[in-house]
Amino acid sequence: MTTTPTAAGRTAAGRTDAPTRREQILKEAARLFAERGFHGVGVDEIGAAVGISGPGLYRHFPGKDAMLAELLVGISERLLDGGRLRVGEADGDPGALLGALIDGHIDFALDDRPLITLHDRELDRLKDEDRKRVRQLQRQYVELWVAAVAELYPDASRSEVRTAVHAVFGLLNSTPHLDTVGRRSMEELLRRLAHGAFGALGR
């Protein structure tokens, strides 16, 4: 089965590969940027977190700006790729597709919380080209959800469907602000809440 890598070497199927040095750097950069802000973290600190000298990072990235761009563009690409993969695997079943999209986004929201914080705080720091790329990828990802939800709830207006999709994203992407109750319990709660929110379209 084809899998889609996430920010730290994980895959959409849940298998964990040993992260590359670049992935290690990005993971620690994301954590530090989320904790202390982009300008509050130096290259030397990122290097120390992965056991290499600050200047050694320049063999992998030209600077912090490049790390931030790869983190935010990269996760947008991976979410879209994972969504497209799930569309193919659902084989035209909108209920199965929506369930798979929800589960995939929950994995992201629970496992890559620093990237959610980074997106909220630091997106405007990207170069115009990179920021536009993130927005473009996000719009395409949203449309995958809108199509699945609209097919599952044909009596809902397109405006209602789009509003519901964005509301569920807000719900799922709230994880950096939540106290965890255990990975499995949080996953199950978020799944129930997301399905319940979409279910309101059928009432």
Side-chain angles (χ1 to χ4, degrees):
M1 173 179 168
T2 305
T3 53
T4 303
T6 63
R10 289 181 305 280
T11 66
R15 183 173 57 86
T16 301
D17 296 325
T20 66
R21 179 49 61 94
R22 280 179 65 88
E23 289 168 343
Q24 291 173 339
I25 293 169
L26 288 172
K27 179 180 179 180
E28 291 305 316
R31 179 182 65 81
L32 290 168
F33 291 159
E35 288 177 356
R36 293 159 49 191
F38 180 74
H39 287 306
V41 178
V43 170
D44 288 343
E45 294 168 276
I46 298 171
V50 295
I52 61 177
S53 66
L57 289 182
Y58 292 110
R59 293 197 297 271
H60 302 278
F61 297 96
K64 290 197 306 177
D65 289 340
M67 295 179 205
L68 182 63
E70 184 156 337
L71 283 165
L72 294 182
V73 174
I75 192 56
S76 298
E77 290 174 338
R78 289 187 288 272
L79 283 171
L80 179 58
D81 288 345
R84 286 172 171 167
L85 176 65
R86 292 177 178 94
V87 169
E89 291 176 340
D91 196 25
D93 182 340
L97 174 56
L98 183 58
L101 289 172
I102 289 171
D103 287 350
H105 201 95
I106 287 173
D107 283 341
F108 156 68
L110 292 177
D111 297 336
D112 290 306
R113 298 182 193 204
L115 294 179
I116 297 174
T117 301
L118 276 189
H119 179 275
D120 291 345
R121 293 180 184 171
E122 312 289 0
L123 180 64
D124 288 344
R125 298 191 188 280
L126 295 182
K127 297 177 182 177
D128 286 347
E129 178 182 354
D130 291 327
R131 188 168 58 253
K132 288 177 181 177
R133 177 63 175 157
V134 169
R135 294 300 192 194
Q136 177 189 51
L137 292 164
Q138 289 175 338
R139 285 194 295 271
Q140 293 178 66
Y141 182 59
V142 167
E143 289 309 309
L144 293 180
W145 285 67
V146 168
V149 175
E151 188 171 355
L152 197 59
Y153 298 99
D155 293 334
S157 70
R158 203 71 170 186
S159 176
E160 289 175 322
V161 168
R162 194 173 300 280
T163 298
V165 168
H166 283 288
V168 169
F169 282 172
L171 166 69
L172 299 181
N173 290 345
S174 67
T175 52
H177 312 291
L178 303 177
D179 292 329
T180 59
V181 293
R183 176 65 165 72
R184 180 60 61 85
S185 295
M186 181 64 75
E187 178 182 332
E188 292 175 352
L189 176 59
L190 290 173
R191 184 180 296 115
R192 291 197 306 271
L193 291 170
H195 281 286
F198 286 126
L201 291 170
R203 294 173 185 167

